[in-house]
Amino acid sequence: KQEVTQIPAALSVPEGENLVLNCSFTDSAIYNLQWFRQDPGKGLTSLLLIQSSQREQTSGRLNASLDKSSGRSTLYIAASQPGDSATYLCACNTGKLIFGQGTTLQVKP
Amino acid sequence: NAGVTQTPKFQVLKTGQSMTLQCAQDMNHNSMYWYRQDPGMGLRLIYYSASEGTTDKGEVPNGYNVSRLNKREFSLRLESAAPSQTSVYFCASSENPSQSGPLAGELFFGEGSRLTVL
């Protein structure tokens, strides 16, 4: 059974810092992995989708990597801003989507 | 471009009452989904519709029914609400089913419907 874990559950950093959010999964036979952002009281917004054949995807200040052999994905946020404060979730597709519980990020001005 | 629209945004029910959550997408996506999000449990799939005319159970289908009315609309019905169904419900859509493996497209979510059952 696929289990997806995101550690830490919460993170607080000063503005301008580069940071890494972690996502680990137990079943390496995934088709793809998706990172989402969720603002309080809102839905999920898709950030990046990495196919199993890819090692990384980039969008602006965001870079997501995928290492299936170690069961890990990371979301790198460069030069963090207060507007990046949100909960970030990863979801693994092994034929169905399994979500992690998220990391709540606070970027302090 | 509205994306995925859910109604209502908030609802309070008494135990035993029924209600329907509505969802519509304007992206011409084939697949639609209903999730619930609970503290400590994350997002769990209730039902999904891989294409117009089909529906299938997800992880937690008990107590719910769905209707794929047409390609745009996918509704979720609670026939007899229970306090355990207090949750935030999200509708989502994608071009291809999330269960299609490597063809699975990105998921696009609505803003959620917050349901309280007393």
Side-chain angles (χ1 to χ4, degrees):
Chain A
K1 178 185 175 184
Q2 177 73 279
E3 293 182 3
V4 180
T5 305
Q6 293 184 249
I7 295 174
L11 182 63
S12 180
V13 300
E15 181 177 5
E17 194 164 293
N18 301 325
L19 60 101
V20 174
L21 305 180
N22 296 299
C23 173
S24 61
F25 45 93
T26 55
D27 183 354
S28 63
I30 66 170
Y31 294 112
N32 53 51
L33 184 146
Q34 193 168 355
W35 281 94
F36 296 89
R37 168 186 173 137
Q38 185 175 28
D39 292 288
K42 300 291 187 181
L44 281 70
T45 300
S46 177
L47 297 173
L48 290 163
L49 173 68
I50 312 177
Q51 298 295 346
S52 63
S53 58
Q54 297 175 317
R55 296 285 292 180
E56 63 180 275
Q57 281 281 3
T58 298
S59 175
R61 294 183 294 109
L62 305 179
N63 176 277
S65 68
L66 176 63
D67 184 344
K68 287 200 308 176
S69 61
S70 65
R72 290 188 61 191
S73 176
T74 60
L75 179 66
Y76 175 82
I77 302 177
S80 58
Q81 303 170 358
D84 294 330
S85 299
T87 297
Y88 292 81
L89 296 101
C90 66
C92 293
N93 178 9
T94 57
K96 62 180 182 178
L97 278 179
I98 304 296
F99 284 82
Q101 302 239 0
T103 294
T104 298
L105 172 66
Q106 181 184 31
V107 180
K108 296 180 178 179
Chain B
N1 190 347
V4 179
T5 303
Q6 293 181 230
T7 56
K9 287 185 168 41
F10 300 93
Q11 184 73 48
V12 179
L13 292 176
K14 294 181 180 178
T15 297
Q17 286 185 317
S18 62
M19 75 157 300
T20 299
L21 300 177
Q22 307 286 355
C23 175
Q25 51 93 7
D26 62 4
M27 296 173 282
N28 202 35
H29 284 167
N30 290 311
S31 304
M32 298 184 73
Y33 314 84
W34 277 104
Y35 286 88
R36 60 178 289 174
Q37 186 176 36
D38 303 287
M41 302 294 290
L43 275 143
R44 293 179 292 170
L45 182 64
I46 304 171
Y47 270 93
Y48 66 99
S49 170
S51 61
E52 186 179 356
T54 69
T55 61
D56 287 286
K57 295 178 180 179
E59 301 172 67
V60 288
N62 291 345
Y64 305 96
N65 286 301
V66 290
S67 295
R68 183 75 183 266
L69 304 171
N70 48 55
K71 191 171 186 179
R72 289 187 64 248
E73 299 172 288
F74 188 39
S75 64
L76 178 72
R77 182 163 178 82
L78 287 69
E79 291 290 352
S80 179
S84 62
Q85 294 179 303
T86 294
S87 186
V88 182
Y89 291 86
F90 288 102
C91 177
S93 70
S94 66
E95 187 171 332
N96 294 312
S98 64
Q99 283 73 15
S100 65
L103 297 179
E106 281 184 274
L107 250 62
F108 293 86
F109 282 80
E111 298 224 327
S113 298
R114 284 148 187 82
L115 176 65
T116 300
V117 183
L118 302 176

